[in-house]
Coordinates of all heavy atoms in Angstrom, one line a residue:
H39 N 9.3 11.7 6.4 CA 10.2 12.7 5.7 C 10.8 11.9 4.5 O 11.9 12.4 4.0 CB 11.2 13.2 6.6 CG 10.8 14.0 7.7 ND1 10.1 15.2 7.5 CD2 10.8 13.7 9.1 CE1 9.8 15.7 8.8 NE2 10.2 14.8 9.6
F40 N 10.2 10.9 4.0 CA 10.8 10.1 2.8 C 11.1 11.0 1.6 O 12.2 10.8 1.0 CB 9.8 9.0 2.5 CG 10.3 8.2 1.3 CD1 11.3 7.3 1.4 CD2 9.7 8.3 0.0 CE1 11.7 6.5 0.3 CE2 10.1 7.6 -1.1 CZ 11.1 6.7 -0.9
F41 N 10.2 11.9 1.2 CA 10.4 12.6 0.0 C 11.3 13.8 0.2 O 11.8 14.5 -0.7 CB 9.1 13.0 -0.7 CG 8.3 11.9 -1.0 CD1 7.2 11.4 -0.3 CD2 8.5 11.2 -2.2 CE1 6.4 10.3 -0.6 CE2 7.8 10.1 -2.6 CZ 6.8 9.7 -1.8
Y42 N 11.7 14.1 1.4 CA 12.5 15.2 1.8 C 14.0 14.8 1.9 O 14.8 15.5 1.4 CB 12.0 15.8 3.2 CG 12.8 17.0 3.7 CD1 12.4 18.3 3.2 CD2 13.8 16.9 4.6 CE1 13.1 19.4 3.7 CE2 14.5 18.0 5.0 CZ 14.1 19.3 4.5 OH 14.8 20.4 5.0
Y43 N 14.3 13.7 2.7 CA 15.7 13.4 2.9 C 16.1 12.4 1.8 O 15.6 11.4 1.6 CB 15.8 12.6 4.2 CG 15.7 13.6 5.4 CD1 14.7 13.5 6.3 CD2 16.6 14.7 5.6 CE1 14.5 14.4 7.4 CE2 16.5 15.5 6.7 CZ 15.5 15.3 7.5 OH 15.4 16.2 8.6
S44 N 17.2 12.8 1.1 CA 17.7 12.0 0.0 C 18.1 10.6 0.4 O 18.0 9.7 -0.3 CB 18.9 12.7 -0.7 OG 18.4 13.9 -1.3
N45 N 18.7 10.5 1.7 CA 19.2 9.2 2.1 C 18.1 8.3 2.3 O 18.2 7.0 2.1 CB 20.0 9.3 3.4 CG 19.2 9.9 4.6 OD1 18.4 10.7 4.5 ND2 19.6 9.4 5.8
K46 N 16.8 8.8 2.7 CA 15.6 7.9 2.8 C 15.1 7.6 1.4 O 14.7 6.5 1.1 CB 14.6 8.5 3.7 CG 15.0 8.5 5.1 CD 13.8 9.1 6.0 CE 14.1 9.1 7.4 NZ 13.0 9.4 8.3
Y47 N 15.0 8.6 0.6 CA 14.4 8.5 -0.7 C 15.2 7.5 -1.6 O 14.6 6.8 -2.4 CB 14.4 9.9 -1.5 CG 13.8 9.8 -2.8 CD1 12.4 9.9 -3.0 CD2 14.6 10.0 -3.9 CE1 11.8 9.9 -4.2 CE2 14.0 10.0 -5.2 CZ 12.6 9.9 -5.4 OH 12.1 10.0 -6.6
E48 N 16.5 7.5 -1.4 CA 17.4 6.6 -2.2 C 17.2 5.1 -1.8 O 17.5 4.2 -2.6 CB 18.8 7.0 -2.0 CG 19.1 8.3 -2.7 CD 20.5 8.9 -2.3 OE1 21.2 8.3 -1.5 OE2 20.9 9.9 -2.9
K49 N 16.5 4.9 -0.6 CA 16.1 3.4 -0.3 C 15.1 2.9 -1.2 O 14.8 1.7 -1.2 CB 15.8 3.4 1.2 CG 17.0 3.7 2.2 CD 16.6 3.5 3.6 CE 17.7 3.9 4.4 NZ 17.4 3.7 5.9
G50 N 14.3 3.7 -1.8 CA 13.3 3.3 -2.8 C 11.9 3.3 -2.2 O 11.7 3.2 -1.0
I51 N 10.9 3.3 -3.2 CA 9.5 3.4 -2.8 C 9.0 2.2 -2.1 O 8.2 2.1 -1.2 CB 8.7 3.7 -4.1 CG1 7.3 4.2 -3.7 CG2 8.7 2.5 -5.0 CD1 7.3 5.6 -3.1
N52 N 9.7 0.9 -2.4 CA 9.3 -0.3 -1.7 C 9.7 -0.2 -0.2 O 9.0 -0.7 0.6 CB 9.8 -1.5 -2.4 CG 9.2 -1.7 -3.8 OD1 8.1 -1.4 -4.0 ND2 10.0 -2.3 -4.7
W53 N 10.9 0.3 0.0 CA 11.3 0.5 1.4 C 10.3 1.5 2.2 O 9.8 1.1 3.3 CB 12.6 1.1 1.5 CG 13.1 1.4 3.0 CD1 13.6 0.5 3.8 CD2 13.0 2.7 3.6 NE1 13.9 1.2 5.0 CE2 13.4 2.5 4.9 CE3 12.5 3.9 3.2 CZ2 13.5 3.6 5.9 CZ3 12.5 4.9 4.3 CH2 13.0 4.7 5.5
Y54 N 9.9 2.6 1.5 CA 8.9 3.5 2.1 C 7.6 2.8 2.5 O 7.1 2.9 3.5 CB 8.8 4.6 1.1 CG 7.6 5.6 1.4 CD1 7.7 6.4 2.5 CD2 6.5 5.7 0.6 CE1 6.7 7.4 2.7 CE2 5.5 6.6 0.8 CZ 5.6 7.4 1.8 OH 4.6 8.4 2.0
A55 N 7.2 2.0 1.5 CA 5.9 1.2 1.7 C 6.0 0.3 2.9 O 5.1 0.2 3.7 CB 5.4 0.6 0.4
S56 N 7.1 -0.5 2.9 CA 7.2 -1.5 4.0 C 7.5 -0.8 5.4 O 6.9 -1.3 6.4 CB 8.2 -2.5 3.6 OG 9.6 -1.9 3.6
E57 N 8.2 0.3 5.3 CA 8.5 1.0 6.6 C 7.3 1.6 7.3 O 7.2 1.6 8.5 CB 9.6 2.0 6.3 CG 10.2 2.7 7.5 CD 11.1 1.8 8.5 OE1 11.5 0.7 8.0 OE2 11.3 2.2 9.6
W58 N 6.5 2.2 6.4 CA 5.4 3.0 6.9 C 4.0 2.5 6.7 O 3.0 2.9 7.4 CB 5.5 4.4 6.4 CG 6.8 5.1 6.9 CD1 7.9 5.2 6.1 CD2 7.0 5.7 8.1 NE1 8.9 5.8 6.9 CE2 8.3 6.1 8.1 CE3 6.3 5.9 9.3 CZ2 9.0 6.7 9.2 CZ3 6.8 6.5 10.3 CH2 8.2 6.9 10.3
F59 N 3.8 1.5 5.9 CA 2.4 1.1 5.5 C 2.3 -0.4 5.6 O 1.3 -0.9 5.1 CB 2.1 1.6 4.1 CG 2.1 3.1 4.0 CD1 3.2 3.8 3.5 CD2 1.1 3.9 4.5 CE1 3.3 5.2 3.5 CE2 1.1 5.3 4.4 CZ 2.2 5.9 4.0
S60 N 3.1 -1.1 6.2 CA 3.0 -2.5 6.4 C 1.8 -3.0 7.2 O 1.4 -4.1 7.1 CB 4.4 -3.1 6.8 OG 4.6 -2.6 8.2
D61 N 1.4 -2.1 8.1 CA 0.2 -2.4 9.0 C -1.1 -2.2 8.3 O -2.2 -2.4 8.9 CB 0.3 -1.6 10.3 CG 1.5 -2.0 11.2 OD1 2.0 -3.2 10.9 OD2 1.9 -1.3 12.0
H62 N -1.1 -1.7 7.1 CA -2.4 -1.3 6.4 C -3.3 -2.6 6.3 O -2.8 -3.7 5.9 CB -2.0 -0.8 5.0 CG -3.2 -0.4 4.1 ND1 -3.6 -1.3 3.1 CD2 -4.0 0.6 4.0 CE1 -4.6 -0.8 2.6 NE2 -4.9 0.4 3.1
K63 N -4.5 -2.3 6.6 CA -5.5 -3.5 6.6 C -6.7 -3.2 5.7 O -7.8 -3.3 6.1 CB -5.9 -3.8 8.0 CG -4.8 -4.2 8.9 CD -5.4 -4.6 10.2 CE -4.3 -5.2 11.2 NZ -3.0 -4.6 11.2
N64 N -6.4 -2.8 4.4 CA -7.4 -2.6 3.4 C -8.3 -1.4 3.7 O -9.4 -1.3 3.3 CB -8.3 -3.8 3.2 CG -7.4 -5.0 2.6 OD1 -6.6 -4.8 1.8 ND2 -7.7 -6.1 3.2
E65 N -7.9 -0.4 4.5 CA -8.6 0.8 4.7 C -8.8 1.5 3.3 O -7.9 1.3 2.5 CB -7.9 1.8 5.6 CG -7.9 1.3 7.1 CD -6.6 0.4 7.4 OE1 -6.0 0.0 6.5 OE2 -6.5 0.1 8.6
K66 N -9.8 2.3 3.2 CA -10.1 2.9 1.9 C -9.1 4.1 1.5 O -8.9 4.3 0.4 CB -11.5 3.4 1.8 CG -12.6 2.3 1.8 CD -13.9 2.9 1.7 CE -15.0 1.7 1.7 NZ -16.4 2.2 1.7
A67 N -8.7 4.7 2.6 CA -7.7 5.7 2.4 C -6.5 5.6 3.3 O -6.7 5.0 4.4 CB -8.4 7.1 2.7
G68 N -5.3 5.9 2.9 CA -4.1 5.8 3.7 C -3.2 7.0 3.4 O -3.2 7.5 2.3
G69 N -2.5 7.5 4.5 CA -1.8 8.6 4.3 C -0.7 8.7 5.3 O -0.5 7.8 6.1
E70 N 0.1 9.8 5.2 CA 1.1 10.0 6.2 C 1.3 11.5 6.3 O 0.8 12.4 5.6 CB 2.5 9.4 5.7 CG 3.1 9.9 4.5 CD 4.3 10.7 4.5 OE1 4.5 11.5 5.5 OE2 5.2 10.5 3.7
R71 N 1.9 11.9 7.4 CA 2.3 13.3 7.7 C 3.7 13.5 7.8 O 4.4 12.9 8.6 CB 1.6 13.7 9.0 CG 2.0 15.1 9.4 CD 1.6 15.5 10.8 NE 2.3 14.6 11.8 CZ 2.1 14.8 13.1 NH1 1.3 15.6 13.6 NH2 2.7 13.9 13.9
S72 N 4.3 14.5 7.1 CA 5.6 14.9 7.2 C 5.6 16.4 7.0 O 5.4 16.9 5.9 CB 6.5 14.3 6.1 OG 6.6 12.9 6.4
S73 N 5.9 17.2 8.0 CA 5.9 18.6 7.9 C 6.9 19.2 7.0 O 6.8 20.3 6.5 CB 6.0 19.2 9.3 OG 7.2 18.7 10.0
S74 N 8.0 18.4 6.7 CA 9.0 18.9 5.9 C 8.8 19.1 4.4 O 9.5 19.9 3.8 CB 10.3 18.0 6.0 OG 9.9 16.7 5.6
Y75 N 7.7 18.5 4.0 CA 7.5 18.6 2.5 C 7.1 19.9 2.0 O 7.2 20.1 0.8 CB 6.3 17.6 2.2 CG 6.6 16.1 2.4 CD1 5.6 15.2 2.6 CD2 7.9 15.7 2.6 CE1 5.9 13.9 2.7 CE2 8.2 14.3 2.7 CZ 7.2 13.5 2.9 OH 7.5 12.1 3.2
L76 N 6.9 20.9 2.8 CA 6.6 22.2 2.4 C 7.8 23.0 2.1 O 7.8 24.0 1.3 CB 5.8 22.9 3.4 CG 5.2 24.3 3.2 CD1 4.2 24.3 2.0 CD2 4.5 24.9 4.4
Y77 N 8.9 22.5 2.5 CA 10.2 23.4 2.5 C 11.1 23.2 1.3 O 12.1 24.0 1.2 CB 10.9 23.2 3.8 CG 10.1 23.6 5.0 CD1 9.6 22.7 5.9 CD2 9.7 24.9 5.2 CE1 8.8 23.1 7.0 CE2 8.9 25.4 6.2 CZ 8.5 24.4 7.1 OH 7.7 24.8 8.2
K78 N 11.0 22.1 0.6 CA 11.9 21.9 -0.6 C 11.0 21.5 -1.8 O 10.2 20.6 -1.7 CB 12.8 20.7 -0.3 CG 14.0 20.9 0.6 CD 14.9 19.7 0.6 CE 16.0 19.9 1.5 NZ 16.9 18.7 1.5
S79 N 11.3 22.2 -2.9 CA 10.5 21.9 -4.2 C 10.8 20.4 -4.6 O 9.9 19.8 -5.3 CB 10.8 22.9 -5.2 OG 12.2 22.9 -5.5
I80 N 11.9 19.9 -4.3 CA 12.2 18.5 -4.7 C 11.2 17.6 -4.1 O 10.9 16.5 -4.8 CB 13.7 18.0 -4.3 CG1 14.0 16.8 -5.0 CG2 13.8 17.9 -2.8 CD1 14.3 16.9 -6.5
C81 N 10.6 17.8 -3.0 CA 9.6 17.0 -2.4 C 8.4 16.8 -3.4 O 7.9 15.7 -3.6 CB 9.1 17.5 -1.1 SG 10.4 17.6 0.1
A82 N 7.9 17.9 -3.9 CA 6.8 18.0 -4.8 C 7.1 17.1 -6.1 O 6.3 16.2 -6.6 CB 6.4 19.2 -5.3
E83 N 8.3 17.2 -6.6 CA 8.8 16.5 -7.8 C 8.8 14.9 -7.5 O 8.4 14.1 -8.3 CB 10.1 17.0 -8.3 CG 10.1 18.4 -8.7 CD 11.6 19.0 -8.9 OE1 12.5 18.2 -9.2 OE2 11.7 20.2 -8.9
R84 N 9.4 14.6 -6.3 CA 9.5 13.2 -5.9 C 8.0 12.6 -5.7 O 7.8 11.4 -6.1 CB 10.4 13.1 -4.7 CG 11.8 13.3 -5.0 CD 12.7 13.4 -3.7 NE 14.1 13.5 -4.0 CZ 15.0 13.7 -3.1 NH1 14.6 13.7 -1.8 NH2 16.3 13.8 -3.5
I85 N 7.2 13.3 -5.1 CA 5.9 12.8 -4.8 C 5.1 12.6 -6.2 O 4.5 11.6 -6.3 CB 5.1 13.8 -3.9 CG1 5.6 13.8 -2.5 CG2 3.5 13.4 -3.9 CD1 5.1 14.8 -1.6
K86 N 5.3 13.6 -7.1 CA 4.6 13.4 -8.3 C 5.1 12.2 -9.1 O 4.4 11.5 -9.8 CB 4.8 14.7 -9.1 CG 4.1 14.7 -10.5 CD 4.2 15.9 -11.2 CE 3.6 15.9 -12.5 NZ 3.7 17.0 -13.4
K87 N 6.4 11.9 -9.0 CA 7.0 10.8 -9.7 C 6.4 9.5 -9.3 O 6.1 8.6 -10.1 CB 8.5 10.7 -9.5 CG 9.2 9.6 -10.1 CD 10.7 9.6 -9.9 CE 11.4 8.3 -10.5 NZ 12.8 8.3 -10.2
F88 N 6.3 9.3 -8.0 CA 5.8 8.0 -7.5 C 4.3 7.9 -7.1 O 3.7 6.8 -7.2 CB 6.6 7.5 -6.3 CG 8.0 7.0 -6.6 CD1 9.1 7.7 -6.3 CD2 8.2 5.8 -7.3 CE1 10.4 7.3 -6.7 CE2 9.4 5.3 -7.6 CZ 10.5 6.1 -7.3
L89 N 3.7 9.1 -6.8 CA 2.4 9.1 -6.3 C 1.6 10.2 -7.0 O 1.1 11.2 -6.4 CB 2.4 9.4 -4.8 CG 3.2 8.4 -3.9 CD1 3.3 8.8 -2.5 CD2 2.6 7.0 -4.0
P90 N 1.5 10.2 -8.3 CA 1.0 11.4 -9.1 C -0.5 11.7 -8.7 O -0.9 12.9 -9.0 CB 1.1 11.0 -10.5 CG 1.2 9.5 -10.5 CD 1.8 9.2 -9.2
D91 N -1.2 10.7 -8.2 CA -2.6 11.0 -7.9 C -2.9 11.2 -6.5 O -4.1 11.4 -6.0 CB -3.5 9.8 -8.4 CG -3.5 9.6 -10.0 OD1 -3.4 10.7 -10.7 OD2 -3.4 8.6 -10.5
T92 N -1.9 11.3 -5.7 CA -2.0 11.5 -4.2 C -2.4 12.9 -3.9 O -1.9 13.8 -4.5 CB -0.7 11.2 -3.6 OG1 -0.3 9.8 -3.7 CG2 -0.7 11.5 -2.1
K93 N -3.5 13.0 -3.0 CA -3.9 14.3 -2.6 C -3.0 14.9 -1.6 O -2.5 14.1 -0.6 CB -5.3 14.2 -2.0 CG -6.4 13.6 -2.9 CD -6.6 14.4 -4.1 CE -7.7 13.7 -4.9 NZ -7.5 13.8 -6.3
L94 N -2.7 16.2 -1.7 CA -1.8 16.9 -0.8 C -2.6 17.8 0.1 O -3.4 18.6 -0.4 CB -0.7 17.7 -1.5 CG 0.1 16.9 -2.5 CD1 1.1 17.8 -3.2 CD2 0.9 15.8 -1.7

Side-chain angles (χ1 to χ4, degrees):
H39 302 292
F40 174 76
F41 297 101
Y42 182 83
Y43 290 115
S44 292
N45 64 326
K46 290 185 175 187
Y47 183 75
E48 290 167 359
K49 292 180 180 184
I51 197 75
N52 291 332
W53 175 86
Y54 172 66
S56 67
E57 185 73 14
W58 296 99
F59 300 97
S60 60
D61 293 342
H62 178 258
K63 294 183 177 42
N64 298 319
E65 291 89 350
K66 292 181 181 179
E70 64 114 318
R71 172 192 61 180
S72 292
S73 55
S74 60
Y75 295 160
L76 186 63
Y77 299 109
K78 283 186 182 178
S79 61
I80 191 73
C81 297
E83 295 169 25
R84 290 171 172 176
I85 291 168
K86 184 178 179 182
K87 177 181 177 180
F88 285 109
L89 307 169
D91 297 322
T92 296
K93 304 296 183 217
L94 302 177

